[in-house]
Amino acid sequence: QDVPPFTEDCRTDAYPPNEKDRVKTFVLNLDLPPKERWSNLAKEKAPELKAMIQSIIDLVGSVVNVTEAIAFIDKEFALLADQLPAPYGDEMKGIATAADIPLGQVVLYNVFYEIFTL
Amino acid sequence: CTSIIAEAPNGTLYHARNLDFGLFLGWDTENDKWALTEKLRPLIINVDYQSGGKTVARAVHFTGYIGVLTGVKPGVLTLSMNERFQLDGGYVGFIKWLLGDHSGKWMGFFLRETLVSSASYEAAKSSIMTEELLAPAYFILGGNSSGQGCVITRSRETMDNLEELKKTESGWFILQTNYDNWKTPPFFDDRRTPATKCMNKMTKEKAGLAGIYNVLSTKPVMNLLTTYTALMQVNSGYLETYIRDCPQPCFPW
């Protein structure tokens, strides 16, 4: 592992990157009801989304009882969805349904920036 | 994270960023990578916000995360957010919100509102400078005209600093990592010095998305936490995003 200070010269050859790394585009139709907007994408990416949320739960489980933590997140964070400003709560409900993930876990993921600073 | 706004000699503005996330959130011992970072990469997606069949904004999302951290409103503005570490951090705002004080705004939702709804660079700037937030952050905002670029350093309730593109040392680019830009970055995480060096080496004459991508690909500007590099150009509303995976040997942050 290189150590600071930085050891690599300025790159001049990185662009264009490999096409396989280019990110695809999803069209979000704002004219749809909030619960339906993300459904197709959430369904398509459900396995990856579940794996990522499981990674957070594993992390939480390394410091507290994982079963209790999941029960707490599923119940208490789900309640937050109705308190969040529109249309975000409904969009999260739509994602939870489409990806078959407990709503509380989707809410936790969406407020992670605020909590992560802890 | 590292965000850069650069202005070409003809006045065209380019905005690009590396999004780094997952520090200390688990380590994958098999692959020598941050565990959560690795799980986030397959979720990255560009989202084209459309209303009435027309694009109103473009943003980079992690699937399932409905807030915005990087985006462009065609013809109007570009926006990115870098995390800011403060003792009075987002968890304080989160607890206050749970206790019933809903005056602060959630970061991702606030950025999405700003991106989709702002009519101008100045309106977005004013909103970012004054709105109460749940967490501190650095906002990197670009407009559609020469000289329109700034970094707004925010605490939860107040603005701590405003750095304008025109008033930077170079006068043609503005660069922000995860530390207050009026202080020296910590020796253990100095991405500002190499990024600044590479921008200066590139020169204003060669300013463009390709050149900035090269800067953002230089270690340790790119590191093991880097999930994606996004490239934006406001006038065309262009957004191009690439998943990043820093080859070893690579800095852990």
Side-chain angles (χ1 to χ4, degrees), chain A residues 24-103:
Chain A
K24 290 178 183 166
T25 298
F26 169 76
V27 174
L28 183 78
N29 185 351
L30 294 172
D31 301 325
L32 286 175
K35 282 183 183 175
E36 296 172 22
R37 291 175 186 172
W38 299 96
S39 295
N40 290 342
L41 181 66
K43 266 181 204 161
E44 184 189 322
K45 295 268 189 183
E48 292 90 344
L49 193 51
K50 285 174 181 170
M52 190 278 304
I53 289 176
Q54 187 59 48
S55 186
I56 298 176
I57 289 171
D58 290 345
L59 199 73
V60 173
S62 65
V63 285
V64 295
N65 181 295
V66 71
T67 312
E68 287 177 15
I70 291 173
F72 178 82
I73 291 165
D74 288 355
K75 185 183 172 198
E76 303 300 333
F77 277 81
L79 296 174
L80 294 184
D82 287 324
Q83 297 180 53
L84 292 170
Y88 307 115
D90 279 347
E91 287 190 11
M92 286 182 213
K93 286 177 187 174
I95 290 168
T97 303
D100 192 25
I101 295 172
L103 176 60

Side-chain angles (χ1 to χ4, degrees), chain B residues 157-186:
Chain B
E157 293 174 345
T158 56
M159 183 184 78
D160 292 339
N161 193 54
L162 171 67
E163 188 185 29
E164 302 264 12
L165 172 63
K166 286 179 282 191
K167 294 175 184 168
T168 57
E169 200 179 318
S170 71
W172 65 275
F173 73 86
I174 193 163
L175 193 151
Q176 180 63 39
T177 60
N178 298 98
Y179 302 98
D180 295 345
N181 51 33
W182 60 96
K183 296 176 186 169
T184 306

Side-chain angles (χ1 to χ4, degrees), chain B residues 77-131:
Chain B
L77 61 88
T78 53
L79 184 59
S80 61
M81 189 278 286
N82 289 8
E83 185 171 15
R84 188 183 186 204
F85 309 104
Q86 261 194 332
L87 201 58
D88 184 3
Y91 64 95
V92 177
F94 180 62
I95 292 167
K96 277 182 75 175
W97 194 87
L98 287 180
L99 295 174
D101 180 355
H102 291 188
S103 52
K105 295 204 168 187
W106 298 89
M107 187 58 65
F109 305 154
F110 170 64
L111 256 78
R112 181 167 148 183
E113 279 166 28
T114 304
L115 183 71
V116 174
S117 307
S118 293
S120 68
Y121 167 77
E122 291 300 340
K125 188 173 165 186
S126 169
S127 172
I128 293 170
M129 285 163 64
T130 54
E131 284 286 356

Side-chain angles (χ1 to χ4, degrees), chain B residues 7-221:
Chain B
E7 184 174 328
N10 65 0
T12 304
L13 289 166
Y14 300 98
H15 188 156
R17 71 97 41 93
N18 276 355
L19 192 138
D20 305 349
F21 195 79
L23 183 64
F24 302 133
L25 296 177
W27 181 255
D28 179 347
T29 49
E30 274 183 29
N31 299 303
D32 278 348
K33 290 175 182 177
W34 293 106
L36 189 62
T37 310
E38 213 175 347
K39 294 286 190 299
L40 282 169
R41 287 192 182 103
L43 293 170
I44 299 164
I45 190 95
N46 283 348
V47 175
D48 198 323
Y49 286 74
Q50 293 193 0
S51 182
K54 289 182 180 171
T55 297
V56 293
R58 294 189 175 98
V60 190
H61 283 252
F62 294 107
T63 301
Y65 184 84
I66 58 176
V68 164
L69 305 174
T70 309
V72 53
K73 182 164 192 177
V76 182
L77 61 88
T78 53
L79 184 59
S80 61
M81 189 278 286
N82 289 8
E83 185 171 15
R84 188 183 186 204
F85 309 104
Q86 261 194 332
L87 201 58
D88 184 3
Y91 64 95
V92 177
F94 180 62
I95 292 167
K96 277 182 75 175
W97 194 87
L98 287 180
L99 295 174
D101 180 355
H102 291 188
S103 52
K105 295 204 168 187
W106 298 89
M107 187 58 65
F109 305 154
F110 170 64
L111 256 78
R112 181 167 148 183
E113 279 166 28
T114 304
L115 183 71
V116 174
S117 307
S118 293
S120 68
Y121 167 77
E122 291 300 340
K125 188 173 165 186
S126 169
S127 172
I128 293 170
M129 285 163 64
T130 54
E131 284 286 356
E132 187 177 337
L133 305 169
L134 291 184
Y138 301 103
F139 294 94
I140 301 88
L141 178 68
N144 60 8
S145 313
S146 173
Q148 287 190 332
C150 65
V151 173
I152 300 165
T153 303
R154 280 294 313 260
S155 294
R156 288 191 306 105
E157 293 174 345
T158 56
M159 183 184 78
D160 292 339
N161 193 54
L162 171 67
E163 188 185 29
E164 302 264 12
L165 172 63
K166 286 179 282 191
K167 294 175 184 168
T168 57
E169 200 179 318
S170 71
W172 65 275
F173 73 86
I174 193 163
L175 193 151
Q176 180 63 39
T177 60
N178 298 98
Y179 302 98
D180 295 345
N181 51 33
W182 60 96
K183 296 176 186 169
T184 306
F187 71 91
F188 55 84
D189 185 18
D190 182 7
R191 282 165 282 125
R192 189 194 305 164
T193 304
T196 303
K197 176 193 151 190
C198 294
M199 286 299 289
N200 283 323
K201 204 171 172 185
M202 180 175 75
T203 72
K204 182 177 183 178
E205 281 61 41
K206 290 180 184 165
L209 295 180
I212 302 172
Y213 184 89
N214 285 331
V215 173
L216 290 172
S217 302
T218 301
K219 298 171 189 175
V221 184

